[in-house]
Every structure is written in C-alpha cells, then in structure tokens.
Amino acid sequence: MTQSPPKSQGSVHAPHLYPPYTSSVRRAPHERLIPLPAALEGLHGPVFGAGRLRPDDHDTTRNARVNGEPLGERIIVRGRLLDGSGRPIRGALIETWQANAAGRYVHGRDEHDAPLDPNFTGTARMLTGGNGEYELISIRPGAYPWGNHPNAWRPAHIHFSVFGTNFTQRLVSQMYFPGDPLLAHDPIYQGIPDEKGRQRLISRFDLNLTRPGWALGYRFDIVLGGGAQTPFEEPGHDE
Amino acid sequence: MTSEPRAPLSPQDSNIPEGAFGPTPSQTVGPYFHQGLVDFQGLTGLLGDRTVEPGSDVPGERITLTGRVLDGDGRPVEDALIELWQADAGGTYARSADAPFPGYSRTHTRTPGHSYRVHTVKPGSAGPGLAPRLNVWLGMRGLLTHLLTAVYFSDEDNSADPLLALVPGERRHTLIARREDTPDGAVYRFDIRLQGEDETVFFAP
C-alpha cells in the first residue's frame, strides 16, 4: 500500500486491483509492472500438433457421455482466432471449460447445490484451422451464485484459454451471451475499463449457424493483442 | 504470414462490433480451472507438471521447481495456475509442442500445503550474457488479468542478464530460486509473493 495501484497492461485489460471484485484486494500486486523488452529471447510460444487431441474433444455434448445426452440447450460456438492486425492464427490450441446447464461445475470446490449432469463435464479443446476458425459444440451454461457481494450471480459464461504465437499472447478469457441482465452487475465483466473491450466478450447469436432442430449458434471471434514482439497499437485507448 | 490481408470482420459473421476491433480482454481463470486445464475428462491434461518423462534421454540436469504463492496476508493461495516456458539445456526454445523437449508445462497449487511443483530440465543460456531462466505465467481467482514473471537460479551467474538489469537491485532477489541438493536431486524453491515486503517482480508484455 505504499503507492497508487499499478497500471494494468493498457486499458484493454482489467487492472489487477479492482476492489468490487473482492478477491483482487489481497492478490493484486502493488508495485508497477516492468515492461518486457521486445528483443527478449524466447518469447515465442510452442505450436501444438493435432496428435494429442481426440475426435470429440471439441464437443462437450459427446465427450463425457456415460448413459445419455447431456441436459440443456445445445449450442454451436464458431469463431476465428486473429492477431492484433486481424490476421488468422492457425494451429493454435484453444481449451474451454464451463458450468453445466444448471450452473454447476464438475469441481470439488463448487458448493452450489444445483445438480451435476452425469453426461457432462463441460471441458473441450480444439486447434484453429486454416483460416483461424474453431468450432465448439456444447451446452449453454447456467448462471450461478457466488460469494462476492449480496445476491451475486455470475452471468452465463464459457472460459476460453488460448495460445497465440507468443508467450506474452497467452490469454484466458470468458465468453458471455448477448442480452444477459447479469452482465451489468458482474464485477468480473465490469472490471474491464474499456466499453469496446467489454463488447468483444459478448458472443453474437447467429441464426444461420444453428443446426436445424438440434442446436443454436453463436459467433465468438478472439483477438490476441500484442506481446512484446507484436505490439498492438490502439490510439486513444492508452489512458 | 505478414503479407496476408486482414481477415474481413463483418456484422454478419462476427461478434466484434464495427469500429470495436481490438484485443480480447483477459478474464480470471476463476477457482475451477482444473476441470478444463488440469484434469481433462479425468485424464491428465494436455500440459502436465513434467516436461520430461523419467528415463527420457533428453539432455540436461533434472530439477524440481517448487514453492508457494502468497497473498497480501502471507497466506498461501490454494487455487493458482502456473505455466512455465523455457529453453532446453542447450539454450534453445522449441517451436513445436511435439519436440522431444517442448519446454512448456502447467502446474497448480491445489495440493497439500498449497505448493506447486514441476519437474523439468534446467535451462541453458539462450544467448551471450543471458542467464538461464524460466518464464512464468500466473493466473488465479482474483486476477482479472494474469501475471508474468521469471525465475533465475541461485547457482548461476546472473550479473549480466539484460532482463534482470531492468529490475531495481533491491528487488532482484525476488526472481532467484534457491537451490537445494537433495537425495532426489536438485530442488529449487521459488515462492511468489503477490503483495507486501519482497513482492515478486512482475512484467508487462
């Protein structure tokens, strides 16, 4: 507490200290971050091969079945992984995890008393294709309560973990659904200072992407910002 | 790849509104990341806490890096995710995760004692003047935006390293792992302090 809170990595990302998100108060560093030099050796990241993935890894409606279909509204999420210049990033690993339709995670620490689904774990992984595109088939997750503040509920969301071409592009984010009234009350979402940045986390309902009689479709493009070696310029958004 | 045209984003097929193109903001990994990143369908995740299997002929000294992540009250964080990215013993970073030594690993603190632990090969110097180091990505509940740091080794000459040179002298020790030689091999201890005295140095990309 010896100085003012550190700047975040530009205004696109949330500051580390954001008191409405109570867990940040004892976990956010107080000292200023030291910029990584662009010429630093070894900042490119590894490229993952398809050999480690199984055919249904991208489809949570199939990859954890025990005795039937998972419950809930089936969704198709399709999007592109792009760099800060809008160019597709190919062969990149995306991992996702989420709650089930009732808002419950398959995790020992989840104390929400909503039911678990025996045919659903909500985990998926995939590689981006030739134009940076990926497809996730899943179940729309439910909202769930948490202890951050009185009557706190997380908006429905899917966690996305993405590897770019650079170690400093490594991103974990969350995809939200359009029109969710909980977004206005969620400190995790509202912690992002830039309104356009917040908009980019909301998927777009796309009727053309629906599979007739089977699933609803959503678009979710992901843009990996600059690491030290691929600076991303966003005039007017540097505070 | 740099000569390719920018991918067209149109309101018809993108969620990103016109005029709002830019990086996707970071969000917290939350407390439940193990489900997707560590225990994939009950199997070992794609990235484990070991970069070489026992008996592997990948060159280099086998080391264990272990420690805790401590919050502003000095309490161990029980739900931190830690990823390491490093060169091999010869100082070369892999380009492919399918390389004999990919150099990428993932560990966490949901363990007895809330200590993370990763088994790897001690990296070599990646260039003249560069001290061997591990690059660290750190995420947890409470961090909307993840943190980056680096681990250096107490038994190496770190005096000419250009990254350490950017760190104020009185804080450099927070980036140096302490070596202990045990019957099970070299163990380096590296606690990460999020706040307070001896707060670990973090870097911005």
Side-chain angles (χ1 to χ4, degrees):
Chain A
M1 291 295 198
T2 56
Q3 54 181 257
S4 58
K7 275 177 62 175
S8 65
Q9 307 163 27
S11 60
V12 168
H13 297 299
H16 290 109
L17 180 60
Y18 184 67
Y21 180 29
T22 58
S23 307
S24 76
V25 173
R26 303 311 281 154
R27 296 184 169 192
H30 288 162
E31 301 285 347
R32 286 181 181 274
L33 308 189
I34 294 175
L36 282 174
L40 195 65
E41 181 68 31
L43 289 183
H44 65 80
V47 175
F48 293 85
R52 300 180 183 212
L53 277 63
R54 297 164 301 188
D56 285 338
D57 276 358
H58 73 295
D59 182 350
T60 73
T61 72
R62 302 186 63 87
N63 67 18
R65 281 193 198 186
V66 174
N67 59 7
E69 290 272 345
L71 296 170
E73 178 183 312
R74 283 182 293 257
I75 58 172
I76 297 167
V77 181
R78 190 178 290 177
R80 283 166 292 181
L81 183 63
L82 305 170
D83 70 14
S85 301
R87 289 184 290 260
I89 299 176
R90 307 187 176 94
L93 177 66
I94 298 178
E95 297 160 284
T96 68
W97 71 101
Q98 62 173 91
N100 68 22
R104 178 84 183 267
Y105 285 88
V106 181
H107 194 287
R109 293 282 302 271
D110 188 348
E111 294 171 349
H112 183 26
D113 63 359
L116 286 168
D117 184 335
N119 293 301
F120 184 82
T121 62
T123 64
R125 57 195 182 191
M126 61 220 92
L127 294 174
T128 59
N131 56 359
E133 195 160 81
Y134 71 88
E135 183 177 79
L136 165 69
I137 298 173
S138 196
I139 297 290
R140 182 178 171 128
Y144 58 85
W146 60 310
N148 189 72
H149 56 274
N151 214 5
W153 284 69
R154 289 296 332 275
H157 62 277
I158 299 175
H159 295 265
F160 273 73
S161 166
V162 181
F163 288 81
T165 57
N166 188 304
F167 178 71
T168 61
Q169 286 180 321
R170 178 88 178 86
L171 178 75
V172 172
S173 191
Q174 299 179 20
M175 182 197 104
Y176 299 97
F177 291 85
D180 192 329
L182 290 168
L183 287 167
H185 306 279
D186 181 50
I188 290 179
Y189 177 71
Q190 294 293 338
I192 299 162
D194 175 44
E195 185 192 346
K196 289 177 178 174
R198 291 196 297 274
Q199 289 175 351
R200 291 193 286 271
L201 292 191
I202 299 178
S203 56
R204 179 177 177 278
F205 176 68
D206 185 350
L207 196 63
N208 293 323
L209 197 56
T210 62
R211 196 167 296 175
W214 194 76
L216 293 172
Y218 292 86
R219 295 277 177 183
F220 187 58
D221 289 341
I222 300 167
V223 181
L224 295 181
Q229 294 176 329
T230 52
F232 181 82
E233 305 292 340
E234 196 179 22
H237 287 273
D238 280 333
E239 290 192 341
Chain B
M1 208 156 116
T2 50
S3 61
E4 286 179 50
R6 177 176 169 139
L9 292 184
S10 73
Q12 283 70 45
D13 71 356
S14 181
N15 62 300
I16 297 178
E18 210 166 347
F21 186 81
T24 299
S26 172
Q27 293 274 267
T28 179
V29 298
Y32 307 135
F33 60 82
H34 315 81
Q35 177 186 332
L37 300 182
V38 179
D39 307 313
F40 190 89
Q41 318 296 0
L43 304 171
T44 304
L46 202 62
L47 295 169
D49 65 357
R50 133 184 334 276
T51 59
V52 281
E53 293 305 316
S56 160
D57 58 3
V58 165
E61 182 185 14
R62 270 49 173 173
I63 64 169
T64 300
L65 182 78
T66 185
R68 296 181 301 171
V69 181
L70 300 165
D71 71 10
D73 296 321
R75 283 199 294 255
V77 170
E78 77 288 359
D79 52 8
L81 173 67
I82 295 163
E83 290 185 353
L84 297 181
W85 169 231
Q86 65 167 102
D88 65 14
T92 300
Y93 285 86
R95 290 281 176 175
S96 164
D98 295 327
F101 182 76
Y104 215 109
S105 58
R106 180 183 278 165
T107 182
H108 61 92
T109 59
R110 193 180 172 216
T111 63
H114 309 308
S115 293
Y116 71 88
R117 182 174 293 267
V118 62
H119 304 280
T120 187
V121 166
K122 192 177 180 189
S125 167
L130 296 174
R133 82 168 189 272
L134 307 168
N135 303 297
V136 176
W137 188 102
L138 177 66
M140 67 187 76
R141 172 176 62 89
L143 286 185
L144 293 173
T145 300
H146 60 265
L147 291 167
L148 299 174
T149 187
V151 181
Y152 290 85
F153 300 93
S154 61
D155 54 336
E156 293 286 339
D157 178 4
N158 298 310
S159 59
D161 187 80
L163 181 60
L164 270 179
L166 298 175
V167 176
E170 70 276 13
R171 299 189 65 203
R172 283 180 201 154
H173 70 278
T174 70
L175 299 183
I176 296 174
R178 194 177 72 249
R179 180 178 179 119
E180 292 175 12
D181 289 299
T182 78
D184 295 324
V187 174
Y188 288 89
R189 299 203 176 271
F190 186 76
D191 286 344
I192 298 173
R193 289 182 166 78
L194 296 166
Q195 297 178 353
E197 200 177 340
D198 291 333
E199 177 179 312
T200 300
V201 169
F202 299 105
F203 297 97

